[in-house]
Amino acid sequence: MPKSLKGRSVIVTGGSKGIGRGIARVFAREGVRLTIAARNRAEIDAAVAEMAAAGATARGAVCDVTDMESVQRMVDEAAAAQGGLDVLCANAGIFPQVKMVEMSAADWDHVMATNLRSTFFSVKAAIPHFEKRGKGRVVVTSSITGPVTGYPGWAHYGASKAGQLGFIKTAAMELARYNTTINAVMPGNIVTEGLQGLGEDYLKTMAASIPLKRLGDVEDIGNAALFFASDEAGYITGQQIVVDGGQILPESLEALASI
Ligand code: NAP
């Protein structure tokens, strides 16, 4: 059993919904001090109430991860309120679908800013706090889409998620001097508000194409994030783990049908 993270100071961006909320819930049960950062105040408040009931000392922060100043302020205020910073979960992200023939430069830039530039912003903002603490953990939510698989409509999204994996390699080297690790979780298809927006047909077809025959639960990702944040994972950095029920494994439809 990993040592408890009780009392650690944790930030989860995009913690008001979906995977971020699942990550927050798993950390909340450890009794951490937690900041949930997102844009929608009502959804943040609902998540904060849930996390407090689950065992965390929880607070919310309205923050737009595409805005460097907003991220800096959120991270500094979280560290001030929580007595420093131990764990940053850089999770906020979007996945609007648009095929390249219709994709505008603004579409591309918006996804890159929300998913990739934001990762840099939050890690940069956290560095002084990890330096002060003498240690730290960053867990990035990437995806199988981009680094491993493709899906029409998600060229920009896939590029942003692959970009996060490129980012963590050099970030791991730069963060090492602060005794801080950075790793990524690569979810497959996880049931979230965002994914449900893609419709019933998408969810059904997707579940059928996964060897474990179900979509993932947000806590499946939370558990992987908790491991990377644990003391026991202290010698792992710049790495990634796929959490997808085996989705990327079948070589063909026939291979999938034969299990
Ligand atoms: P979701 O249910 O739509 O939740 C997204 C979260 O990010 C919300 O809390 C949202 O809150 C926040 N957010 C979005 N834009 C933001 C911004 N500009 N500033 C601050 N917060 C922002 O999505 P999800 O499915 O949980 O996805 C979360 C992460 O998991 C993303 O990085 C995504 O790429 C990754 N992922 C998801 C899946 C999946 O199957 N669901 C698979 C692979 C990877 P506000 O809207 O209030 O800001």
Side-chain angles (χ1 to χ4, degrees), residues 12-214:
V12 182
T13 70
S16 62
K17 282 195 291 198
I19 287 178
R21 194 154 173 167
I23 293 173
R25 196 180 300 136
V26 169
F27 279 90
R29 287 192 202 120
E30 294 285 308
V32 300
R33 287 171 288 172
L34 180 64
T35 291
I36 302 238
R39 291 166 303 176
N40 182 305
R41 175 45 85 181
E43 288 172 355
I44 293 170
D45 288 347
V48 165
E50 184 198 337
M51 300 316 151
T57 304
R59 59 185 289 281
V62 174
C63 167
D64 182 344
V65 294
T66 66
D67 176 351
M68 196 175 198
E69 277 177 28
S70 176
V71 173
Q72 183 76 61
R73 196 177 328 117
M74 179 276 290
V75 171
D76 290 347
E77 287 176 3
Q82 295 173 178
L85 181 63
D86 296 296
V87 183
L88 165 70
C89 296
N91 163 84
I94 53 170
F95 34 95
Q97 246 181 323
V98 52
K99 293 207 175 127
M100 275 192 289
V101 286
E102 282 143 23
M103 190 183 291
S104 66
D107 291 333
W108 177 273
D109 288 347
H110 182 50
V111 167
M112 286 295 163
T114 309
N115 296 358
L116 183 55
R117 211 168 59 149
S118 66
T119 308
F120 157 59
F121 287 169
S122 59
V123 172
K124 181 177 167 63
I127 288 174
H129 301 289
F130 293 144
E131 184 176 17
K132 213 167 167 187
R133 188 67 114 215
K135 62 177 181 155
R137 293 277 189 276
V138 182
V139 185
V140 173
T141 308
S142 174
S143 177
I144 58 168
T145 310
V148 188
T149 63
Y151 201 107
W154 279 328
H156 51 357
Y157 176 75
S160 73
K161 294 284 134 180
Q164 287 179 307
L165 297 189
F167 169 77
I168 67 166
K169 306 295 177 208
T170 292
M173 296 179 69
E174 294 190 17
L175 291 173
R177 68 182 300 169
Y178 311 112
N179 191 24
T180 293
T181 67
I182 179 167
N183 294 287
V185 181
M186 298 161 69
N189 280 262
I190 310 298
V191 183
T192 65
E193 290 87 336
L195 201 80
Q196 270 157 343
L198 300 174
E200 259 318 297
D201 279 356
Y202 175 93
L203 298 177
K204 255 199 208 146
T205 320
M206 212 32 106
S209 66
I210 297 170
L212 288 178
K213 296 295 174 212
R214 69 168 177 93

Side-chain angles (χ1 to χ4, degrees), residues 206-223:
M206 212 32 106
S209 66
I210 297 170
L212 288 178
K213 296 295 174 212
R214 69 168 177 93
L215 298 181
D217 185 89
V218 291
E219 292 186 23
D220 292 324
I221 307 307
N223 289 326

